[in-house]
Each structure stands twice: as structure tokens, then as C-alpha cells.
Amino acid sequence: MTNVIHQLPDSVANMIAAGEVVQRPASIVKELVENSVDAGATEVKVIIQDAGRTLVQVIDNGCGMSGIDARLAFDKHATSKITSADDLLNLHTMGFRGEALASIAAVAQVELVTRREDEELGTRVVISGSHVECDEPTVASKGSQFFVRNLFFNIPARRNFLKSDATEMRYITSEFIHVALAHPDVAMSLVSNSQTLYNLSAGNMKNRVVAIAGKSMSGELLPVEVETDLITVKGFVGSIATARKSAGDQYFMVNNRYMRSSYFNKAIVEAYRGIIPSDQVPAYFIYLTIDPHKIDVNVHPQKIEIKFEDEASIWKILNAAVRDTLGRYNVMPALDFDASGQLDIPVRPNPGHTSNYSPFNPSNLGSYYNPFEREKEFESIDVSANNQPPCPAVKQVSFTASFQPSERQSVDGWQQLFSSKKEEEPRLFEGKPSAYFFQFRGRYIVTQVKSGLMFIDQHRAHERIQYDMLMSNVTSSQKSSQMLAFPEVMTIGAEDACVVEELSVELANVGLEYTYDAEAGLLSITAIPSCFEASRVHSFIEALIYDYRNGEVDIERSIQQYVCTMVASQMALPTGKALTPEEMSSLYDRLFASSSPKISPRGKVIFTILTDDNIEQLFNN
């Protein structure tokens, strides 16, 4: 019987390793740029074509390699950064495993041109699918140039799993930013399809942060600095104005290496408790310096998670450092006693003065006073448009009826509904709602139907109506938008801007148009969907980015439907909005003319019926 266990060929082993190291073009950018930094480069240029599918090129002015080193660099586990197991406990470089180049060369066509400063000629090595095709001397500049072409050319299935160019470019930008923030002393640039996205000069920490986050962030950064025997904390946290629902500008660097940590994130968020809303997160750029012996960076294939020896103590130090900064810069909200306005503080009456009026004296309330009856004021609004210009293809309904608080009929019409006079009784048993609609707790519309009482969630009902209108416009190629006289401007980071760019077509289809200034980090909304309130556009964009980045988009539903759902939710009547009976009646009619009156676009129940039997059971006890 023959033996069945054998060693895999290097080419196959490298392809397997590539599954961990090379997940997408962004993985290549990360590995090559980190190698450039380790090589002592002061300038690194990244050139991308077709979101990395066609080309990822990295050029640096580092130390370069000799001819022998250039060839050995592509062998598995070949590295210049460690020599023994003890070195793993004292790492000062970005890479160290010696897997990156071998893995990249296994799934792409790679060309390396490199030269050391003390040599006249450089070396050119070409490897395709782990097979060396060329190894020769050449004229080259000091440093290294890597050309990675046709990623996954020999694994079509992996190539087919790559996302859209916009999505892959977002991942590339993210990896570039991580290295750029960790090494502000290195000049770095990123070019995509001949367009320069970043051109970062070497500088200090704050200059690099502003260059990445946008000039508008410059005045919103609060310095954090504390030094202890365990760890040194430096960097910046954002003012209240930088808080966003979507996570974007939150970065940790440990010993000049980007780190992802939900645990330490909570330390910063906790420091802002009571200062910003609980559903928002502040911006922060935190640099931690710690003894390499007290951390383990070898716990994640991409080295983005780090294990700390005493993370609980670091959590407390980080939290205290941020709270100290917020206190020193008066971020805590305070009463302004120097303002022109005055605080309206009620003053106790002079004990020596006696008033004839008392709110508890029935004689002062008149003969019509009823302590169990409360007046309700109605506010006239336009249900169909949320006080905005009318939407195309939607019937405009205006309401002029109003109720005077002093009239007896203002008690919500209940007296008429339950009147003993037969001619005033509504027709309740013909499968239609009664002519009477009432609002309960500012959220539910109540009316009588054949089987009992119907409760309608007004926000969800209006959300369904708006969603159908938006989807109708999208599917019929009608763009329902209104230009803004003054653009709505908001600050977003580069990664968030990539998300918006990914959704640009879908946003345009629902009538939202924008421009983005990458240098300033400003998103300018120039047009919004009709019926959409301009004041809501900021929260809409933030919610869209948050959901998209956190994977809350239903992959089985088209992004177009998702965007329409988000817009409809923002356009819908808010809970607590007072409605007149006529407005409630119009909302009812339009709801039951919609495509799905029972379920909202988010899959929530819109109405329910309390049947006659349900009501009778309440009185059987």
C-alpha cells in the first residue's frame, strides 16, 4: 500500500497562504506600503488602476535590495526582520512573517525593480503565479518599485468575488489611511486611474490628521497627552461637533501600527457620556506607545488586532486622559450667565402678600370647569409633503379646517361618536372606516371599522406612502428632486466619502446630488428629493453610511430599494406630530391605495385591529 501523505509544492502552498494574506487589492497595498516603511522610505507613492484589478504599483525611496535579496524576498518565510523566536517579543517593524511577497506572487503577475544606494545597477525580477520568469540586472533608481498586475488571474473564482470598483477602492483608501496616519513623517500619495486622491507631505502628527480628515477638522481637534510607566498616550480627540452616528474618524495606532479595538473604543466613548448623544461616536486619533514585550501583534493574520498584557489598566489610563482633555478645553456643557438673555427662574411669592386667586379654588375656574377633561390643540399640516413642495405624481391635499380650543367639539369628537341620537351615529359596519379619526398619544390614528377599532402607526403609514412614490419615480426613470439655493455642507472622512461614492447612482436616482471636496473633507448636497426636508439631509447621510458600513444593508434587496427606504423613513411624519381629522382621513386613504398597506418598507406592522371580541373580553372579568 502506497503512502498518501506528501508535501505540497511551494506554488500550491503559497496559493493557500494567499487566502489569508491576499483577500483583495487592498491587502496588497497594505503589505507593500508597510514594506516600504520598514525599508526606511521617506517617500511612498501608490498607483492604482481599475481598483487594483489591473495594477497596484508601489514606489519608494527606501534602502532597496541586492540581486540575491530581491530573489529571496519571494520565497516563503523569507524575511529580514526577525532571526529568532525572541525577536517576536520585541518587534519594531510592520511586517515580519515573510509571507506577503510569496503569497502575492502566487496569485498575480509581479514585477520588482530595485537598487541599493551603494550599487550602480539594480535588479529586475518577474514572477507569475509563483513561477520565476525573469531575474536580471537593470538600470533603476534607489529604492524599490513593485508592479502587481492582474490579481487572481489564475484563480478566476476569487476574482469574481471581488466587489465593485467603488467598494474595492474604499478598502484600498482605508488601508492607505491606516499606514499614512501611523507614519506622519513619511510623504505619501495615492493615485487612482490618473487622479490624485491624496498627496501628503511629511510633517507632524496634527498636520497628517488634518490632511486625512479634512481642513474643517483643524479647529475641532483637542490634544491628548499623558505619559505613565505602562504606556504613553498622545493624539487628538474631536470636539462635540465631530460626533457622528456613523463610525468614520476613529483610529488607534500602537507603536506606529494601526490597531482595531472595540474595547479601547469604549474607553473613549465612555469619556463622552453625557456630552454627546448615546447613539453617536466622537472622532479620535490616538497614538499609543508601549514596551513591545507587553503586547502580541501576532494574533491576527492581517495584524490589525493586538493583545495587551494589562489592557484593563490601559483602558483606565485612556479613559482618564480623554476626560482630562474634555475638562481642560471646557467641552462640558455649561450655563452661560453672561448671555444677553436671562434665565427665567420662578420665584416664590412673598409670604407676606396674600392673593385672592388660587388655582385650587373652584370658584376661580368658572362653572364649566371639568378636571377630567383636557383641551387638545390641532396643528394644520400637509401630510403628503411634510411642509415641502409637492411631490410629482402625488395628489396635493390641503386642509383649512381647524378647531378652536374653546368649542365643545374640540374634545376630539367623542361626544358625537357615542351620542345617543341615532341620526348622529356613524355607519360602522359596511367594511369602511368611520368618518371619525382620532389621534392617540401623538402616534396612532384610531378609527372604527367593521370588525372593531383600527390602530394605525402614522409614521410607518406615511413611510409606506413615501416609499411607493420614490420607487415609482426610480423605476420609471423619473428623478424627483429640488435644487437647494444654498448647499447643505457636512464634514465626512475619506472612507465615508467612498461609501457615498459607491451609492452615488442610487442617490441620484432618488434625487440627491452632491459634490465632494477631498482636500477639505466637505460633502456639499446640492439637490435633495422632493418633499425631503433639507434639515434632515445630514442625519440621512450619516444613517446611510452607518448602516452600509456596518453591514445592515439586506444583501437580498437591491441597494436602490434600500436607499428609497432610508429616504422614505426620513421623509415620513414624525411620531408626536399632531394631525387634524381631515389629515388622518387622507393618510388612511393613501395608505390603503399603496402597494402594501400592512407592512412598512422596514418590515414593521403598520396597523392592527382590536376586534369586538377582544374588547368584550376586557369586560368579562
Side-chain angles (χ1 to χ4, degrees), residues 252-254 257-261 264 288 304-306 308:
F252 285 111
M253 267 65 66
V254 179
R257 180 193 302 274
Y258 169 77
M259 175 192 70
R260 183 176 62 194
S261 174
F264 290 146
L288 307 176
I304 58 175
E305 295 179 3
I306 297 176
F308 291 79

Side-chain angles (χ1 to χ4, degrees), residues 357-570:
Y357 174 80
S358 171
F360 303 104
N361 186 351
S363 64
N364 292 319
L365 298 175
S367 60
Y368 293 102
Y369 173 71
N370 182 346
F372 301 102
E373 183 177 282
R374 186 173 67 180
E375 299 284 334
K376 181 177 181 181
E377 297 181 357
F378 289 86
E379 181 181 357
S380 180
I381 66 168
D382 185 349
V383 176
S384 67
N386 241 5
N387 293 327
Q388 291 294 318
C391 301
V394 176
K395 182 180 179 181
Q396 178 72 15
V397 183
S398 61
F399 303 112
T400 58
S402 62
F403 292 84
Q404 300 300 324
S406 61
E407 298 178 6
R408 294 295 88 204
Q409 66 189 41
S410 67
V411 190
D412 296 348
W414 286 105
Q415 294 176 350
Q416 295 184 26
L417 179 61
F418 296 106
S419 172
S420 60
K421 295 181 180 181
K422 187 173 183 179
E423 62 270 20
E424 291 182 316
E425 292 181 359
R427 293 159 35 174
L428 304 178
F429 304 103
E430 298 179 359
K432 301 178 181 179
S434 70
Y436 297 92
F437 293 86
F438 312 99
Q439 202 172 19
F440 179 65
R441 297 193 182 280
R443 176 175 180 179
Y444 303 105
I445 297 172
V446 185
T447 188
Q448 293 193 33
V449 292
K450 181 177 180 180
S451 56
L453 283 177
M454 176 180 287
F455 291 78
I456 304 171
D457 187 303
Q458 69 183 45
H459 173 80
R460 295 177 184 177
H462 199 216
E463 188 178 23
R464 166 55 62 185
I465 293 167
Q466 299 289 7
Y467 175 82
D468 283 4
M469 180 270 295
L470 288 167
M471 284 300 297
S472 175
N473 288 342
V474 169
T475 55
S476 62
S477 299
Q478 296 180 14
K479 185 167 66 174
S480 173
S481 64
Q482 53 177 317
M483 300 298 297
L484 297 178
F486 301 97
E488 287 287 329
V489 180
M490 58 187 297
T491 301
I492 63 173
E495 293 180 77
D496 287 348
C498 288
V499 173
V500 176
E501 180 63 24
E502 288 178 54
L503 305 178
S504 59
V505 174
E506 289 74 19
L507 290 172
N509 285 339
V510 297
L512 192 145
E513 300 176 5
Y514 68 90
T515 59
Y516 179 65
D517 183 345
E519 183 177 357
L522 297 177
L523 185 74
S524 300
I525 311 299
T526 56
I528 60 177
S530 294
C531 311
F532 194 83
E533 293 182 7
S535 60
R536 294 186 177 189
V537 71
H538 286 228
S539 59
F540 163 67
I541 293 294
E542 289 176 6
L544 180 65
I545 292 172
Y546 177 83
D547 286 353
Y548 194 76
R549 291 189 62 173
N550 286 275
E552 296 183 19
V553 177
D554 187 347
I555 59 175
E556 296 181 357
R557 187 199 307 179
S558 71
I559 187 64
Q560 195 173 82
Q561 290 176 307
Y562 174 77
V563 171
C564 287
T565 299
M566 290 292 296
V567 175
S569 178
Q570 293 292 323

Side-chain angles (χ1 to χ4, degrees), residues 46-48 169 189-198 516 518:
V46 181
I47 300 174
I48 305 296
M169 200 60 216
S189 63
L190 175 62
V191 179
S192 174
N193 294 335
S194 301
Q195 179 183 2
T196 301
L197 303 182
Y198 287 99
Y516 179 65

Side-chain angles (χ1 to χ4, degrees), residues 104-120:
I104 294 171
V107 294
Q109 297 167 337
V110 181
E111 178 181 355
L112 165 63
V113 177
T114 182
R115 180 179 71 84
R116 294 196 303 192
E117 187 173 17
D118 58 351
E119 295 181 347
E120 293 184 1

